[in-house]
């Protein structure tokens, strides 16, 4: 076969396929959509893709990850290399799972078999759980404690099986990588967690240690949720020193939790390096506090400036409004820490009480530890940026009525521990009355 | 130590091994028996030890300080609990015998300095590193280091507040005290006439953009796909070329304007002239128009370098080429000459042959005539 024919072969073949689409398909498609996991009552509402209709480009448009315009651009036939355009032009009607590669199809069969096995196991284990739950604790040799332990371990095993059932599915992988995974399903949460822990988590932990968040603010802390921030639409890497004009408005947080269910969150932004010259030490100041924010794995963005406004859909109460971070001239950089706290037992906090406690004068000497302990919260998320004196700080402070822009800090001067040095040299020696004759040379020089 | 002295313990050990453990002498009393069993250090082991006497002092006792080297004066400069201020040297060392701990900093030569005013503490911190020893500075003399795990750091600001100095930006004067402008800029507008090429390019861009806005055609057979792609490639190439040409024209225009813009500054002798560096820029290096060189891409850099090199070596190259040309011409000349000479020689030969033939014919004729006469 000449080279040119070899190159054109897949195109021709796919064209032939699309031409014969009118004829009923001879290729047996897998009986059911591969990753449309069975609906489970312990999960939230999941939208099942229709089992009969395979995913097409037009279906992707409805996804939430990309805007329709972006998708249009991505899938347009006028962009990219010639090879890509040829592939797109001739294969847009072939669904992903029907890609005509023998190895791919064979592998899918094997993965499918494995999945069936796992599903059967899940069913068996669930029944076992039900049986144990129904059984009287006295029938076990270990009694009630044994029963509970057994149930916990079985439930953990079922969760593990749920992930194992879908972990090898190429469609799941694809959907996750396209950002269209349904976070109500354990597999996508698992994948998201794994991706977060691969790098972002490590960076956050490094920032916590190198910026002494532990032990300055908390004795120990391990974040369990992904928190990213962006100022004025610009994503900011943790620990960046930002211009005070950029930080004049509150950031938008991009948050992802990896465990199932609804929960209530509080968001705290605090300055960990407020110089207090009276006590000659650094204290903390609360820059922002919002509470009672309902959150679940499907939610992503939390614009802090919108919390408390009636038009904001997500909900939540604003206790302490945003105070732009500022560092007076000469003070070392200020660490602005963003903490996400989860309410234990989903208890709602009294925003009015928080406002009374922490707004106004209560902002100063703020302690995240005491907030956590007083209101029964757990700290789960963290991010950080820094603030320094810059050319815009004075203007920002003036706009927001913050006093102190006219102050400049300077390094404290310490007197040398060495005593005063005796004057040395020819002239110094001849200052005494003994050398009175030489005074005309030694006194009033220059 | 000499060899015999070294051998002595071995010798002794060998002798001791050969002797029977139980003494052959019959002893009567219990005291005597015990005396037999006792290890007699004083008498028996003198040879094993290799005894030394007090007449020679221990090694190094007579060591003199080396006067030929400069003393480095290493070691602790501050003791524990001693008060220090920022910058004080606490310990001078080669390598990190001591590591910088809380509120201390390590210098370029591993010297430990105080970072704050306080009291020096020498300590170990197994939680941080199992083997290292640290030097720290605390604010309270009674504090101990290391601090308990999870305890917040103790910090002091080390700052004093004062009024903030606002520095107004200084704007350079435009005129002298006597009211003469310090600088005169002469702009020159350069008109680069639009070449017919540019016009065609514009037309092409219009032509090229039109079909792009069409909806992608319905594809039925593979040949049409490939044809469409080829068509598209040609179109995009045309657009690209047109853009490039336009850009180049614009660049040329800008460059021409920049080259003709002159800034004259007022000098001490009240003369307006360009500064020396500006004049220098006008000349520039050989083959380089100053300020036009773009090093945005690697390839461009190479191209510029080549151009510069070419400019420098053009004459040399031209000379060499001329020489080669001359040689070729000479060779051609020689060859032509040779051919000419050969031709000439051949002609001459022919002529001679003809002459000879003529002579011979003449002779023959004469001979025939003679015969006839005879």
């Amino acid at each position: 076969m000449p080279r040119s024919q070899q190159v054109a072969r897949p195109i021709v073949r796919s064209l032939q396929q699309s031409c014969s689409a009118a004829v009923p398909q001879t290729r047996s498609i897998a009986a059911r959509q591969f990753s449309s996991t069975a609906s489970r009552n312990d999960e939230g509402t999941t939208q099942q893709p229709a089992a009969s209709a395979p995913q097409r480009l037009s279906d992707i448009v409805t996804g939430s990850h990309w805007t329709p315009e972006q998708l249009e651009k991505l899938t347009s036939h006028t962009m990219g290399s010639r090879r890509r355009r040829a592939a797109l032009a001739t294969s847009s009607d072939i669904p992903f799972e029907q890609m005509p590669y023998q190895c791919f199809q064979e592998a899918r069969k094997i993965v499918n078999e494995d999945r069936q096995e796992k599903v059967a196991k899940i069913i068996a284990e669930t029944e076992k759980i039900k049986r144990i739950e129904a059984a009287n604790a006295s029938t076990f040799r270990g009694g009630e404690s044994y029963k509970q332990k057994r149930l916990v371990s079985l439930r953990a095993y079922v969760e593990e099986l749920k992930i194992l059932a879908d972990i090898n599915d190429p469609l799941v992988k694809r959907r996750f990588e396209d950002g269209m995974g349904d976070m109500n399903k354990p597999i996508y949460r698992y994948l998201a967690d794994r991706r977060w822990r691969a790098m972002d988590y490590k960076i956050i932990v490094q920032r916590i240690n190198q910026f002494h968040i532990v032990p300055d603010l908390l004795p120990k802390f391990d974040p369990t949720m992904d928190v990213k921030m962006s100022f004025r639409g610009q994503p900011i890497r943790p620990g960046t020193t930002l211009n005070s004009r950029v930080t004049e408005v509150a950031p938008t947080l991009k948050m992802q939790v990896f465990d199932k269910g609804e929960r209530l969150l509080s968001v705290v932004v605090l300055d960990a390096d407020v110089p207090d010259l009276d006590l000659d030490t650094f204290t903390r100041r609360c820059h922002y506090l919002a509470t009672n924010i309902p959150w679940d794995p499907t939610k992503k963005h939390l614009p802090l400036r919108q919390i408390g406004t009636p038009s904001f859909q997500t909900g939540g109460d604003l206790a302490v409004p945003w105070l732009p971070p500022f560092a007076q001239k000469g003070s070392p950089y200020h660490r602005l820490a963003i903490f996400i706290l989860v309410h234990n037992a989903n208890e709602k906090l009294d925003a009015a009480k928080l406002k009374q406690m922490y707004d106004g004068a209560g902002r100063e000497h703020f302690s995240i530890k005491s907030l956590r302990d007083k209101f029964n919260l757990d700290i789960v998320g963290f991010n950080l940026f820094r603030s320094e004196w810059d050319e815009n700080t004075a203007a920002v402070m003036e706009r927001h009525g913050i006093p102190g822009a006219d102050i400049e800090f300077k390094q404290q001067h310490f007197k040398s521990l060495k005593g005063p040095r005796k004057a040395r040299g020819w002239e110094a020696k001849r200052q005494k009355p003994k050398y009175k004759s030489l005074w005309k040379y030694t006194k009033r020089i220059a | 130590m000499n060899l015999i002295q070294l051998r002595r313990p071995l010798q002794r050990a060998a002798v001791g091994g050969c002797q029977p453990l139980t003494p052959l002498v019959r002893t009567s009393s219990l005291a005597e028996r015990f005396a037999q069993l006792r290890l007699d250090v004083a008498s028996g082991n003198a040879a094993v030890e290799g005894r030394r006497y007090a007449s020679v002092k221990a090694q190094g006792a007579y060591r003199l300080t080396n006067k030929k080297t400069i003393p480095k004066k290493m070691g602790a400069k501050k003791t524990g609990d001693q008060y220090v201020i920022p910058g004080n040297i606490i310990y001078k060392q080669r390598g990190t015998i001591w590591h910088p701990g809380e509120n201390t900093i390590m210098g370029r030569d591993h010297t430990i300095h105080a970072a704050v005013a306080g009291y020096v503490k020498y300590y170990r911190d197994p939680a941080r590193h199992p083997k290292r020893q640290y030097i720290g500075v605390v604010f309270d003399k009674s504090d101990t280091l290391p601090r308990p795990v999870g305890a917040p750091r103790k910090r002091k600001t080390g700052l004093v507040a004062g009024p903030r100095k606002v520095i107004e930006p200084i704007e350079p004067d435009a005129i002298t005290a006597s009211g003469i402008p310090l600088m005169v800029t002469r702009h020159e507008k350069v008109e680069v006439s639009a070449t017919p090429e540019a016009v065609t390019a514009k037309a092409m861009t219009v032509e090229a953009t039109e079909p792009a806005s069409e909806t992608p055609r319905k594809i039925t057979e593979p040949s049409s796909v490939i044809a469409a792609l080829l068509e598209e490639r040609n179109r995009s190439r045309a657009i690209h070329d047109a853009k490039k040409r336009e850009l180049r024209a614009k660049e040329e225009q800008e460059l021409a304007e920049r080259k003709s813009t002159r800034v004259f500054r007022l000098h001490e002798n009240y003369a307006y002239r360009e500064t020396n560096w500006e004049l220098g820029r006008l000349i520039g290096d050989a083959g380089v128009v100053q300020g036009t060189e773009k090093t945005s891409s690697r390839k461009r850099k190479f191209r510029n370098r080549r151009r510069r090199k070419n400019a420098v070596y053009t004459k040399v190259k031209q000379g060499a080429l001329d020489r080669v040309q001359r040689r070729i011409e000479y060779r051609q000349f020689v060859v032509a000459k040779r051919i000419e000479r050969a031709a000439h020689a051949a002609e001459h030969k022919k002529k001679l042959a003809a002459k000879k033939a003529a002579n011979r014919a003449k002779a023959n004729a004469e001979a025939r005539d003679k015969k006839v006469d005879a």
Side-chain angles (χ1 to χ4, degrees), chain A residues 94-249:
Chain A
I94 305 174
F96 178 68
E97 63 271 30
Q98 285 178 26
M99 283 200 304
Y101 303 116
Q102 192 185 359
C103 182
F104 178 70
Q105 291 301 338
E106 292 299 322
R108 279 194 70 235
K109 267 180 215 158
I110 292 168
V111 172
N112 210 356
E113 270 168 31
D114 177 61
R115 181 169 198 283
Q116 297 308 330
E117 211 175 276
K118 293 289 184 315
V119 168
K121 260 189 190 171
I122 289 171
I123 292 163
E125 294 300 320
T126 320
E127 272 174 10
K128 203 192 266 177
I129 288 171
K130 270 182 199 160
R131 228 175 28 242
I132 291 171
E133 273 174 343
N136 193 358
S138 60
T139 56
F140 301 109
R141 207 155 29 132
E144 183 62 31
S145 68
Y146 172 81
K147 182 184 164 181
Q148 291 309 324
K149 217 157 103 189
R150 185 105 182 85
L151 281 174
V152 165
S153 78
L154 273 174
R155 280 184 195 126
Y157 182 48
V158 168
E159 287 303 313
E160 196 191 331
L161 281 174
K162 279 181 195 170
I163 287 157
L164 287 177
D166 286 330
I167 193 85
N168 296 317
D169 189 340
L171 265 180
V172 166
K173 188 170 161 60
R174 184 190 188 212
R175 219 171 286 146
F176 175 70
E177 281 171 8
D178 286 353
M180 278 169 289
D182 181 3
M183 282 297 165
N184 279 324
K185 292 181 181 167
I187 180 67
Y188 293 112
R189 287 203 304 267
Y190 170 80
L191 289 172
D193 188 28
R194 197 169 68 174
R195 187 168 61 184
W196 177 60
R197 289 201 184 261
M199 184 47 86
D200 295 338
Y201 167 76
K202 286 176 187 166
I203 289 172
I204 284 291
V205 167
Q206 191 189 39
R207 295 296 177 273
I208 288 168
N209 290 323
Q210 73 187 155
F211 286 113
H212 305 287
I213 299 302
V214 170
D216 278 1
L217 300 179
L218 293 166
K220 59 179 179 181
F221 175 44
D222 184 34
T224 55
M225 68 179 281
D226 184 15
V227 184
K228 294 190 177 79
M229 63 183 164
S230 59
F231 279 95
R232 297 178 187 267
Q234 197 69 31
I236 304 292
R237 285 186 293 172
T240 316
T241 306
L242 294 173
N243 196 299
S244 50
R245 235 187 81 204
V246 173
T247 56
E248 199 175 354
V249 288

Side-chain angles (χ1 to χ4, degrees), chain A residues 48 50-51 60 62 79 86 90 113 122 128 253 319 328 410 414:
Chain A
Q48 297 284 332
I60 296 171
T62 55
M79 258 184 65
T90 54
E113 270 168 31
I122 289 171
K128 203 192 266 177
L253 300 184
Q328 282 156 304
K410 292 220 166 115
F414 292 94

Side-chain angles (χ1 to χ4, degrees), chain B residues 22-216:
Chain B
T22 47
L24 294 170
V25 190
R26 285 185 67 89
T27 49
S28 54
S29 71
L30 196 68
E32 268 178 0
R33 280 188 186 180
F34 273 121
Q36 288 282 333
L37 282 170
R38 201 179 65 220
L39 284 169
D40 204 343
V41 178
S43 63
N45 286 2
V48 175
E49 274 184 336
R51 178 167 287 163
R52 307 184 69 183
Y53 298 97
S55 60
V56 179
K57 274 199 175 179
Q59 275 182 15
Y62 291 129
R63 204 186 65 174
L64 297 173
T65 49
N66 193 352
K67 295 278 169 55
K68 285 181 182 171
T69 57
I70 305 159
K72 303 297 183 293
K73 302 181 181 178
M74 298 290 154
K77 304 297 163 209
K78 300 282 175 202
T79 62
D81 288 349
Q82 200 171 347
Y83 181 77
V84 285
I85 62 167
N88 275 9
I89 292 172
I90 302 174
Y91 202 96
K92 270 179 100 76
Q93 55 189 345
R94 288 279 169 270
T96 48
I97 297 167
W98 290 88
H99 284 263
E102 201 171 289
N103 296 324
T104 49
I105 39 180
M106 192 160 70
R108 205 187 55 167
D109 62 347
H110 304 107
T111 301
I112 309 285
H113 297 264
V116 297
Y119 300 91
V120 176
K121 298 279 174 186
Y122 290 80
Y123 65 103
R124 278 179 188 278
D125 191 354
R128 227 166 128 189
H129 196 280
K131 286 180 185 170
R132 288 181 183 174
Q133 40 190 9
Y134 295 94
I135 302 176
V137 175
V138 293
F139 300 114
D140 282 335
K141 207 172 189 174
S142 57
D143 279 4
T144 52
L145 290 176
R147 298 199 186 284
V149 180
R153 294 182 298 167
K154 280 192 178 169
R155 295 193 289 161
K156 276 187 177 177
T157 55
L159 301 170
V160 284
R164 181 166 69 91
K165 252 185 240 168
V166 183
I167 303 157
E168 297 294 338
I170 303 156
E171 282 188 15
D173 291 335
I175 52 168
T176 58
S178 52
I180 308 168
L182 280 164
M183 195 173 78
V184 176
T185 311
R186 200 178 70 198
H187 294 287
E188 239 165 67
K189 191 78 184 165
V190 179
E191 285 290 326
V192 174
S193 61
T195 52
E197 207 176 284
V199 174
T200 52
K202 225 168 226 179
M204 270 184 112
T205 52
V206 172
E207 186 196 314
T209 47
E210 269 174 5
S213 60
E214 277 177 20
T215 51

Side-chain angles (χ1 to χ4, degrees), chain A residues 408-428:
Chain A
E408 181 177 345
F409 292 124
K410 292 220 166 115
Q411 284 294 320
Q412 194 182 339
H413 181 72
F414 292 94
K415 218 173 143 263
S416 172
L417 296 177
K418 284 179 185 167
R421 213 176 189 187
K422 229 199 244 173
R424 293 194 296 178
W426 190 86
E427 290 93 350

Side-chain angles (χ1 to χ4, degrees), chain A residues 289 320 354-360 362-363 366 370-371 375:
Chain A
L289 174 55
V320 181
L354 281 175
K355 193 177 177 64
Q356 185 224 326
M357 277 176 74
Y358 295 117
D359 203 3
R363 281 180 189 264
F366 175 81
S370 87
L371 177 83
F375 295 97

